[in-house]
Amino acid sequence: MRTVVREFRVPVEVGGVRIAPGDLIFGDVDGVLVIPQELEDEVIGPPLRRRERRTSSPRPSPAG
């Protein structure tokens, strides 16, 4: 039997969770996280900015 694509790039619901095109989906053995596209910067932005500050700031030398 062949599969027929009826629609794509449309919202779907899986396990009672709505997933829309453009949403970010992260999953591992513990579960799945869906970040709606409209909240992406609010959720992902702060940790990325913290990481950027850490990597761009000079590190103290081990000698003191």
Side-chain angles (χ1 to χ4, degrees):
M1 175 179 248
R2 292 184 171 246
T3 301
V4 176
V5 177
R6 297 187 181 183
E7 294 180 292
F8 62 98
R9 295 189 180 137
V10 296
V12 296
E13 189 170 312
V14 179
V17 177
R18 185 176 184 277
I19 303 168
D23 289 354
L24 297 176
I25 302 173
F26 296 95
D28 65 13
V29 296
D30 293 320
V32 177
L33 172 68
V34 178
I35 301 173
Q37 186 175 26
E38 61 270 14
L39 298 177
E40 180 180 338
D41 188 54
E42 182 179 336
V43 174
I44 301 296
L48 288 178
R49 287 189 286 278
R50 280 193 300 273
R51 180 174 169 239
E52 179 63 30
R53 282 194 304 269
R54 278 197 311 253
T55 59
S56 64
S57 62
R59 295 180 182 256
S61 76

